[in-house]
Amino acid sequence: MPGFELFGDLERKEVHDVLDNGVLMRYGFDGMRNGHWKAKSLEKELQNTFQSKYVQLVSSGTAAVSVALASAGVGAGDEVIMPTFTFVASFEAIMMLGAIPVLVDIDDTLTLDPKAVELAITDKTKAIMVVQMCGSMANMDALKSVSEQHNLIFVEDACQAIGGTYKGQPLGSLADLGCFSFDFVKTVTCGEGGAVVTNNPEYYKNADQYSDHGHDHIGNDRGAETHDYLGYNFRISELHAAVGLAQIKRLPEFLSIQKRNYTMLREAMSHIPEVTFRRVPEGGEESYAFLNFFLPDLETARKVSEAFKTNGIDACWNYYDNNWHYVRKWHHLKDAKSLYPLSTEIRQELSRLKEKDFSQSDHWIGRNLSCLIKMSWTEDEVNARAAKMAEIIQNVLN
Ligand SMILES: *Cc1c(COP(=O)(O)O)cnc(C)c1O
């Protein structure tokens, strides 16, 4: 997955353009910048990539989620449904706005279970946020129809699934708002960065202004611009955008390498009857950033994970015991350990997390191994890795 693996001349050239004129900021300084608008150009590229009308670049994927929610009017006291399996950024971005994260079970897609979502809806629910984890996706038709029936805002965090598709459409472009991260370990990287994607002109205008202190971006005198509402600073810099501009042009190349490596590993493991693969909803195609499979039970998954580690198979995780991606170890969240006071409503919902039954999520995450697909492996390396992984699994099973 990490685009930094193939960092090269294209990235260097784009960054040099920026350093040559010295305008590190994305707005203003028209005369100095020699025609280089890296953030603007990257937004144009991303509109094509995501076949969407509007893209707003921001400083991170976490910022993208906050800006997306804020742009759609989600805030204090609103409940946002999110999955138990994601990155901590999901609840961070929700709580930053004073909204309440409501955690809901995943299914064998490793993403939100539409039935569990429906059961979690209350009269305070404002949005559903699906997270397309590890290169694949939820049943988007089912989730879309739940959000439409209940008149909710539908947000899609596709930070880990750039290049995946659902019924021919790019992941990240399927909901009311899509969010991407271009942090250092993502398939396309800017070093740090993120994007909000939408077809809704109102949401776009809000995202554009909110992410830059409320600036209305009218005219060419920043100091004279007005502010219709409160904003923040979630801007991306020209240096970061320049790296992304080089990387996004290489996405087709990245995806084809990921697919080749993923397919070789999967083929080797598909001969083991005890191994099953993560369900991809009908009409979906993964981005191949990860290979996810299930073993018969938690104990086997833990043993295989250990044996992988001791035998040099890196970057394969069983997320059951992970501190960052799964609800079990989010003790700081469950104990509401905040540096500053949280609202009563948020604290009430968080205190419920300790008793909530997530056995359905435990069932899938406990048996799952999630293997990062690297792009720098040679074909021989992937072959050797595939054989070794299959051998280790067989040994543990016997
Ligand atoms: C990486 C990631 C984010 C946050 O991105 P940052 O750019 O690191 O803030 C959010 N959601 C998911 C699912 C991610 O993987």
Side-chain angles (χ1 to χ4, degrees):
M1 160 154 111
F4 73 74
E5 291 179 279
L6 303 182
F7 194 90
D9 288 345
L10 273 171
E11 286 80 358
R12 269 187 286 275
K13 187 218 157 263
E14 294 291 347
V15 173
H16 277 144
D17 283 350
V18 178
L19 292 175
D20 284 347
N21 64 53
V23 180
L24 311 186
M25 187 179 179
R26 68 158 300 178
Y27 297 112
F29 303 93
D30 301 25
M32 273 172 73
R33 59 173 70 235
N34 262 337
H36 292 305
W37 298 88
K38 299 304 179 186
K40 261 189 197 157
S41 310
L42 178 52
E43 284 168 349
K44 273 242 152 58
E45 287 287 333
L46 293 169
Q47 285 166 19
N48 282 335
T49 305
F50 302 131
Q51 296 165 31
S52 295
K53 285 200 191 121
Y54 309 104
V55 174
Q56 178 65 44
L57 281 171
V58 291
S59 51
S60 72
T62 313
V65 179
S66 273
V67 170
L69 291 169
S71 299
V74 177
D78 292 333
E79 292 182 354
V80 180
I81 290 175
M82 59 164 273
T84 53
F85 176 50
T86 173
F87 180 50
V88 290
S90 299
F91 60 75
E92 291 168 357
I94 294 167
M95 287 166 60
M96 216 197 66
L97 303 169
I100 307 166
V102 174
L103 273 60
V104 162
D105 271 324
I106 56 149
D107 60 20
D108 57 345
T109 65
L110 300 178
T111 61
L112 274 183
D113 174 4
K115 289 193 296 293
V117 168
E118 198 140 29
L119 290 173
I121 293 172
T122 71
D123 53 5
K124 289 206 282 176
T125 309
K126 185 83 177 265
I128 298 174
M129 182 161 69
V130 63
V131 183
Q132 316 290 32
M133 280 301 276
C134 306
S136 188
M137 72 218 78
N139 183 334
M140 293 300 283
D141 282 347
L143 288 175
K144 204 171 204 161
S145 97
V146 173
S147 26
E148 279 168 6
Q149 268 167 37
H150 297 266
N151 202 18
L152 302 173
I153 294 150
F154 188 25
V155 180
E156 181 185 10
D157 173 342
C159 291
Q160 294 195 7
I162 191 169
T165 57
Y166 181 77
K167 303 197 169 168
Q169 274 182 273
L171 296 183
S173 74
L174 294 148
D176 298 318
L177 293 134
C179 304
F180 285 92
S181 163
F182 306 118
D183 78 21
F184 193 54
V185 295
K186 298 303 202 277
T187 304
V188 165
T189 184
C190 292
E192 299 284 1
V196 178
V197 177
T198 187
N199 283 316
N200 181 316
E202 195 63 27
Y203 293 166
Y204 167 66
K205 181 176 149 268
N206 292 345
D208 172 57
Q209 301 188 9
Y210 181 69
S211 61
D212 185 24
H213 301 295
H215 273 271
D216 63 14
H217 297 144
I218 295 171
N220 51 13
D221 178 358
R222 252 180 95 73
E225 287 177 17
T226 60
H227 30 68
D228 294 335
Y229 38 74
L230 297 169
Y232 239 100
N233 178 4
F234 293 117
R235 291 190 305 259
I236 194 166
S237 82
E238 283 289 272
L239 283 171
H240 291 91
V243 177
L245 190 55
Q247 290 249 308
I248 197 67
K249 291 174 182 156
R250 306 176 67 188
L251 181 61
E253 171 200 348
F254 290 178
L255 293 173
S256 80
I257 298 171
Q258 284 184 172
K259 184 171 183 174
R260 180 200 72 181
N261 293 351
Y262 167 109
T263 307
M264 286 163 74
L265 295 183
R266 179 165 176 149
E267 158 60 22
M269 258 167 313
S270 63
H271 301 295
I272 308 171
E274 290 88 345
V275 169
T276 54
F277 295 92
R278 164 223 211 132
R279 181 167 60 86
V280 177
E282 206 185 312
E285 181 171 9
E286 297 182 69
S287 75
Y288 307 103
F290 292 83
L291 176 64
N292 282 275
F293 57 93
F294 300 112
L295 290 156
D297 50 50
L298 172 63
E299 201 194 330
T300 312
R302 275 184 172 146
K303 278 188 191 155
V304 169
S305 167
E306 259 324 292
F308 275 177
K309 256 180 234 155
T310 50
N311 289 283
I313 303 291
D314 63 338
C316 273
W317 301 282
N318 173 249
Y319 283 118
Y320 193 73
D321 299 313
N322 183 280
N323 290 339
W324 299 98
H325 292 282
Y326 188 52
V327 63
R328 274 187 75 241
K329 293 276 184 90
W330 292 342
H331 302 305
H332 62 329
L333 180 70
K334 296 181 206 180
D335 293 330
K337 285 202 175 151
S338 173
L339 291 175
Y340 47 84
L342 296 172
S343 75
T344 315
E345 298 156 297
I346 290 182
R347 275 187 288 114
Q348 269 168 359
E349 181 60 29
L350 296 185
S351 73
R352 281 191 204 112
L353 283 176
K354 283 186 209 167
E355 283 93 51
K356 258 195 182 170
D357 175 17
F358 292 126
S359 51
Q360 181 180 315
S361 301
D362 286 345
H363 174 79
W364 295 113
I365 292 298
R367 305 186 314 149
N368 174 251
L369 282 193
S370 190
C371 297
L372 183 73
I373 303 295
K374 290 197 187 162
M375 297 192 279
S376 53
W377 292 329
T378 65
E379 213 161 320
D380 285 347
E381 282 169 341
V382 185
N383 264 323
R385 188 178 175 92
K388 204 166 178 184
M389 284 169 71
E391 188 193 328
I392 291 168
I393 296 171
Q394 294 283 15
N395 283 342
V396 170
L397 287 169
N398 287 333

